[in-house]
Amino acid sequence: MTPAAPLGTDDAEALRALGIDLEAVRARAEDTFGPGALDRPGPPGERRRILPFGGRRRKDEPGRKGHIPFTPRAKKALERSLSEALARKDRHIGAEHVVLGVLDPDDKMTAGLLRKLGTDTATVRNGILQELPRAA
């Protein structure tokens, strides 16, 4: 699995057209999870921004010291939740999109957990999609 490339200007414009403000997303993530929550680990001592246009927090700005980093699986689920929202032409990313993002059929851990619960990713996904209204 190759990591997703940082979003470019065209990507940002497409999301902005859907009412998604990347700076607001970054600010909310950093308020919740700490500065650099959406940074991609790079070489030691260096971090790269995943979302563009996100100014770095100044040293004198208040905020949490450190943050809990997302695992690669969690990052992939969040990327998939964005893809789900865009594919449905929804103007937000809601819990339903996050759940759909977690339902990666290639994720053995998720598949195993659902199998223990007597179901599978396709069944859960189809059930969620049946309950959701189509976006306008």
Side-chain angles (χ1 to χ4, degrees):
M1 175 185 333
T2 58
L7 295 176
T9 304
D10 291 341
D11 300 314
E13 289 299 321
L15 292 172
R16 190 172 298 120
L18 294 171
I20 299 171
D21 178 354
L22 292 178
E23 185 57 36
V25 171
R26 173 169 296 287
R28 183 82 184 261
E30 289 188 348
D31 285 345
T32 302
F33 300 106
L38 295 177
D39 289 352
R40 176 174 292 147
E46 180 185 320
R47 297 179 73 81
R48 297 186 339 238
R49 290 291 200 193
I50 291 175
L51 296 178
F53 315 121
R56 296 195 184 271
R57 189 180 295 260
R58 294 189 326 250
K59 289 181 180 161
D60 61 339
E61 280 187 275
R64 295 184 186 181
K65 294 183 183 210
H67 69 279
I68 300 172
F70 290 101
T71 65
R73 285 181 58 240
K75 286 180 185 179
K76 185 67 177 171
L78 292 174
E79 290 168 5
R80 287 175 50 92
S81 67
L82 172 61
S83 296
E84 292 288 349
L86 292 174
R88 291 182 39 79
K89 297 181 175 39
D90 289 334
R91 297 181 56 89
H92 70 282
I93 299 174
E96 65 276 17
H97 303 106
V98 175
V99 172
L100 290 169
V102 170
L103 295 173
D104 182 352
D106 297 328
D107 185 340
K108 291 180 172 78
M109 185 178 293
T110 301
L113 175 63
L114 292 173
R115 196 171 28 258
K116 286 181 183 179
L117 295 171
T119 190
D120 57 53
T121 56
T123 302
V124 174
R125 178 181 172 73
N126 291 335
I128 291 170
L129 292 174
Q130 287 176 359
E131 295 298 317
L132 293 177
R134 287 302 303 167

